Amino acid sequence: ALSLVIGLSVHPLVGSVEVGQKLELSSVAVKGKSNPQWITQSAVVDHRPFFDKGLDGTGQIVAVADGGLDTDNCYFRDSRNNPFGGWDKSRRKIAYYDDSFADQLERDKGHGTYVSGIIVGRKSSNGVDNEVGFADGTAPGSKITFFDMEIGSNGIADPGVSRLFSSFYNSGDGAFISNASWGRGYNGLYS
């Protein structure tokens, strides 16, 4: 995984690679995954100044490479379009699902679905109409391109930087923002 991070950091399309700050436990009650919205926007409970100004990710595509995405999850569901089979920005949430490296499967409560939901998730009970959900993402107006990196349940494999970026970038008409939140499991917890 370190070689992939180093490769990403020197790629001409990468603006920066950052080490996140250490998170500390808080006494503030947690209520769903909507917490990342106010934590990243203001660090004040339920205060979302970016959303107040209309900045919700609309028009953006975010790339995620991880171990599968539950495409029928209510935060990604699209009853009108199949998420597989090439780029299609008219889809509700998944502009592209690249399964050329892996298997289109996601474990129950999988990391790929969790991470993608935190970023772009937007609830839709019927797969057509957006609605406010308990776990909407930090950029609920955005869409996702997803690169599946896991076959079965053996953990993610390294497809190589060039393969990831060619999938995400779509000849300049795809994602310019990407997430690589990979870790290792220890006793059922992510590192």
Side-chain angles (χ1 to χ4, degrees), residues 41 47-58:
Q41 292 185 35
H47 181 58
R48 297 171 180 84
F50 296 169
F51 288 1
D52 293 344
K53 298 290 184 189
L55 299 172
D56 68 353
T58 297

Side-chain angles (χ1 to χ4, degrees), residues 13 59-63 86-90 95-96 143-145 165-177:
L13 295 176
Q60 298 298 313
I61 297 175
V62 179
W87 277 87
D88 185 349
K89 291 182 179 182
S90 72
Y96 182 52
K143 297 185 181 197
I144 190 171
T145 173
F165 274 103
S166 65
S167 175
F168 295 163
Y169 194 57
N170 191 33
S171 301
D173 194 34
F176 290 92
I177 303 161

Side-chain angles (χ1 to χ4, degrees), residues 77-98:
R77 182 178 301 131
D78 187 333
S79 62
R80 295 178 294 192
N81 296 297
N82 179 348
F84 306 103
W87 277 87
D88 185 349
K89 291 182 179 182
S90 72
R91 293 183 186 124
R92 192 182 80 79
K93 292 305 293 181
I94 306 170
Y96 182 52
Y97 190 120
D98 188 338

Side-chain angles (χ1 to χ4, degrees), residues 9 32 43 51 71 74 79 106 118 122 183:
S9 70
F51 288 1
T71 61
C74 67
S79 62
E106 170 68 326
I118 289 172
R122 181 61 179 227

